[in-house]
Amino acid sequence: QVQLVESGGGTVQPGGSLKLSCAASGFSFNGASMAWFRQAPGKQREVVAAIYIGSARTFYSDSVKGRFIISQDNAKTTLHLQMNNLKPDDTAQYCCAVEVDGMDTCAAWNFRPPKSADFHYWGQGTQVTVSS
């Protein structure tokens, strides 16, 4: 049974940093495509960053490029999102998602950003609030 459990959210001042973690189990980590999505109240869910575990190829949305870093910890089968220079617009519920057989999902990033429908399994999410 695939399980994804996020942690690391909280409240931080603008300019601060947080590191989110997504503990994964129930599938082979290698070969999966994983992503962080976020959804703010009244807004559509949007992709933040994605990674293909097999090659460590990454995708970042323009809004977080240069500030956020997605990474994998194969030994602990954990996905991380290091968020730096946080802004109030980053306030949202952050969820991790996985497509277990992720090669085709990753290939699609050549043509378009990752989208929710690319991923079959989702965590419950963790809240990030950026406020002074």
Side-chain angles (χ1 to χ4, degrees):
Q1 181 179 358
V2 175
Q3 285 194 321
L4 302 171
V5 181
E6 300 97 334
S7 62
T11 300
V12 64
Q13 292 188 340
S17 298
L18 281 175
K19 185 174 184 177
L20 305 184
S21 297
C22 174
S25 62
F27 64 96
S28 176
F29 204 59
N30 195 39
S33 282
M34 300 189 72
W36 288 97
F37 285 78
R38 68 185 181 187
Q39 187 166 19
K43 294 186 178 181
Q44 286 191 332
R45 183 163 57 189
E46 62 175 355
V47 66
V48 175
I51 187 168
Y52 176 53
I53 302 298
S55 67
R57 181 188 173 192
T58 57
F59 169 91
Y60 293 95
S61 68
D62 288 343
S63 61
V64 306
K65 200 172 295 182
R67 300 189 296 124
F68 291 11
I69 300 172
I70 189 170
S71 64
Q72 63 198 64
D73 182 337
N74 289 352
K76 297 182 178 180
T77 61
T78 301
L79 183 72
H80 298 290
L81 184 69
Q82 177 67 46
M83 305 185 295
N84 301 318
N85 191 21
L86 283 159
K87 305 175 181 181
D89 283 349
D90 295 318
T91 295
Q93 180 85 348
Y94 284 71
C95 292
C96 69
V98 65
E99 177 63 17
V100 175
D101 186 4
M103 184 180 295
D104 290 343
T105 299
C106 174
W109 305 347
N110 290 321
F111 308 103
R112 57 161 177 81
K115 57 183 182 180
S116 297
D118 293 340
F119 301 89
H120 280 87
Y121 300 99
W122 294 78
Q124 292 297 310
T126 185
Q127 178 67 33
V128 172
T129 302
V130 184
S131 174
S132 56

